Amino acid sequence: MANDSHLRASEIKGVLLGEIENYEEELHAEEVGEVLEVKDGIARVYGLTKAMASEMLEITSGKTGDTVTALALNLEEDNIGAVVMGDWTSLHEGDQVRRTSRVLEIPVGAGYLGRVVDALGNPVDGKGPIDGIEGSRQIDIVAPGIVKRQPVDEPLQTGLKAIDAMIPVGRGQRELIIGDRGTGKTAIAIDTIINQKDTGVICVYCAIGQRAGKVANVVETLREHGALDYTIVVTANASDPAPMQYIAPYAATALAEHFMWQGKAALCVYDDLSKQAQAYRQLSLVLRRPPGREAYPGDVFYLHSRLLERAARLSDEHGGGSLTALPIIETQGGDVSAYIPTNVISITDGQIFLEPDLFYSGVRPAVNVGISVSRVGGAAQIKAMKKVAGNLRLDLAQFRELEAFAQFGSDLDAATQRQLARGQRTVEILKQPQYQPMPVENQVAAIYAVTKGYIDEVPVDRVRAWERGFHEHVKVHHAAVLELIRTGKVLSDEVTSGLDAAIAEWNEAFAAQSAAVATA
C-alpha cells in the first residue's frame, strides 16, 4: 500500500510531456494609439486602425495621469476624429489612447429616479453614488421595428385643458412643443410631468444647453410638487462641453427605454433639441464635416430622427410598454420654416405651437390652434373628452378669424355676436395657471359647460371665477358624476344629466353671489 502512494517516474514523465505538447503561450495584444492634436473638444487619434464607429476610447493624460472617455465619430484613412466627453484641456499631443471595444453606454435602473445626472449617468446633485443600477444600455440604438409596435390609443394626460381637448397626446406619441423664447414651452412640459403623479408613468427631463440656474429651478419645482420621486433629470448645461450636449438626449432616452422594455409607460422631455443641433454643428465643423444649409451638416436630420423614432408603444408580446417623446424646439421670431424646426416637425406626430402675441395678451398656455395639430387625434382621448371637445378646435379657429374681422366693423348680426361671445368665454375657460394641471374629469365638466352654452350669460371677466367655484361645487355636491367620468370615461346619459343639474345649481348660486357682491 505504501509503494502505491508514490508516483512512478514514468507517470511524471508522461504528464510533463503532455503539458509541453499542449502548451500554448497566451499573448495579450493591445492596440494603443496616440493623440495627434486636441482642439475644441475634438481629439485626432493615430494608430487605432481597428476602432469602430461610436466606440468608447480611453485617453490617458500624460501630465495628470487621468483617464478621459472619448467617442470615435470620424473614421478616416489614417486617423480618428474623437469627441472628448469631459475636460479636454488636460490632454496633449502624444497622450496614449486605448480601445474599449464597447459602444458608448450608460448605466440604467430604478436607482436613477429622483436624481440629477450628467450625460454619462454620473450624479451631479451632491447626493452620492447611484444605488439600484440594474445594468447598462447603449445610448444610441436602432428603434423598435413596426412589428414590435402597436397603435397609439391610450391618452397621456398633460393636465392642460387646451391641449388635452384639442391637441391630445397619446402614450408612445412624439409631440413637438415649438415656439419663441419665453412663450411657456418648458412650463407645458413640467406641467405634464407633474400631472403624471400616481399614474405609474416614469418621466425623464433632459435639459440641453440650459442655464444651470434654470435647471435648478425646474428640479426644485418638481420636488415641491412631489414629481421628483418618479422623474430622472439629465442635464448638459450651457457651460458643459458640446459633446455632452450632443449625447445628453440619447442618454436620457436610454434611461427611459429601460422602463419601456419592462412594460412600463415612460415620458421623455427634450429641452431643447435646437441647442443639441447647435452643439452637433459645432462638433461637425471642428471635425471638418462639410457644412450645408445654415451651416448644419447633412446628417442633422438623421441626428433627430434616430432619436425620436425610439418613442414607441410596444406590442403586448413585448410587454406593452411605451415611451412618449415631447421634444422642444425654439424658433426665432416665430419662423417655423427654418431648417431645424421643419426637420423636427416632419419627424414628429404633431406640434403644439405657442404664439408670443397670445402669451403677452394673457392667454396661457398660448396655444395657436390654427397651426397646432395632433396626428393621433381622438384616438388619444377618452370618449367623454372626445365627445365634448369634438368641435372645440374648429369653433376656436373660427372665433379667431371673426375676432380679427370684428375689429374693422361694428355692425355685426346677432348670430356673429353670439359666436364671438361664446368664443371669448371658451378662451377664458381654456386659460390655466402654471403648475396647476387639472384632472381629466374636471376638464370634461368645464368644457361641457362652455360648449353647451351654459355660461353664455356669465360676464367674460367673471368666467374664471365661475369655473373655480364650479369645480369646488361639483367636488362637494356631485362627486359621483366626476367619479363616473373618471372610471367610465364616457359621456353617458347619467353623466350628462348629472352635469346639467350641477351646472344649473351652480349658475343659481353664482348669480346670487354676484348680486350680493354688486349690492355690497
Side-chain angles (χ1 to χ4, degrees), residues 254-401:
L255 286 165
E257 275 177 333
H258 173 70
F259 297 102
M260 175 182 78
W261 285 103
Q262 287 183 341
K264 298 176 182 175
L267 166 69
C268 201
V269 174
Y270 308 101
D271 189 8
D272 66 56
L273 289 185
S274 42
K275 300 279 198 313
Q276 188 213 11
Q278 289 162 14
Y280 187 64
R281 173 170 61 185
Q282 178 184 328
L283 292 179
S284 298
L285 292 176
V286 179
L287 283 166
R288 296 183 183 175
R289 293 180 175 182
R293 181 175 161 189
E294 295 177 24
Y296 287 103
D299 65 338
V300 76
F301 179 92
Y302 181 54
L303 175 83
H304 288 149
S305 65
R306 74 177 192 265
L307 171 72
L308 295 171
E309 275 298 314
R310 289 161 73 177
R313 183 164 179 230
L314 297 176
S315 63
D316 293 335
E317 292 80 29
H318 292 89
S322 67
L323 171 55
T324 310
L326 290 181
I328 294 175
I329 289 287
E330 184 180 300
T331 54
Q332 308 290 328
D335 183 15
V336 292
S337 62
Y339 189 31
I340 300 302
T342 49
N343 274 357
V344 184
I345 285 171
S346 64
I347 293 164
T348 49
D349 306 312
Q351 66 275 349
I352 298 165
F353 181 70
L354 303 179
E355 199 170 4
D357 292 347
L358 289 174
F359 185 84
Y360 295 124
S361 66
V363 179
R364 299 177 187 181
V367 178
N368 179 322
V369 293
I371 299 178
S372 301
V373 64
S374 169
R375 297 191 185 102
V376 173
Q381 286 175 311
I382 64 169
K383 289 181 179 176
M385 178 64 87
K386 191 175 178 179
K387 193 165 183 180
V388 298
N391 295 324
L392 186 64
R393 186 193 156 100
L394 185 61
D395 292 346
L396 207 53
Q398 287 176 344
F399 162 70
R400 293 288 177 208
E401 294 287 331

